């Protein structure tokens, strides 16, 4: 609808164990917080029950011109059930 998009503002990674070529990996994503102009996300890369990497991601909402702006209310409401 041309309202904007999310851009990664910050990422913090913590590597815990290596993956190998052909490993079957699963990325588990959890929404941690919804703020006026951003969302905070926690991700884990798993091989079976073993966590290989953890990430904290801050995704900022930006207008089509690239400037930060508040998230549209309808978008925030779609995220709320994921908290």
């Amino acid at each position: 609808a041309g309202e904007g998009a999310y851009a990664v503002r910050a990422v913090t990674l913590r590597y815990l164990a290596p993956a190998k070529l052909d490993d079957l990996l699963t990325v588990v994503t959890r929404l941690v917080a919804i703020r006026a102009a951003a969302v905070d996300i926690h991700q884990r890369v798993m091989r079976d029950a073993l966590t290989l990497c953890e990430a904290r991601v801050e995704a900022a909402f930006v207008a089509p011109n690239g400037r930060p702006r508040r998230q549209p209310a309808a978008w925030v409401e779609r995220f709320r059930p994921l908290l």
Side-chain angles (χ1 to χ4, degrees):
E3 295 184 66
Y6 291 94
V8 174
R9 182 181 176 281
V11 175
T12 302
L13 292 171
R14 204 174 82 167
Y15 294 101
L16 304 168
K20 297 181 178 74
L21 191 61
D22 291 330
D23 279 354
L24 180 60
L25 304 177
T26 302
V27 178
V28 178
T29 302
R30 182 173 57 91
L31 189 62
V32 177
I34 303 170
R35 294 181 283 121
V39 293
D40 296 327
I41 302 162
H42 178 261
Q43 292 185 311
R44 288 182 296 150
V45 178
M46 312 279 299
R47 181 180 57 233
D48 299 321
L50 178 65
T51 300
L52 305 178
C53 179
E54 289 187 326
R56 295 273 179 191
V57 180
E58 180 184 2
F61 193 77
V62 294
N65 65 3
R67 296 187 53 103
R69 64 164 281 204
R70 292 177 85 72
Q71 299 178 75
W75 293 35
V76 170
E77 289 310 310
R78 294 295 298 256
F79 274 124
R80 285 208 193 282
L82 302 175
L83 278 175

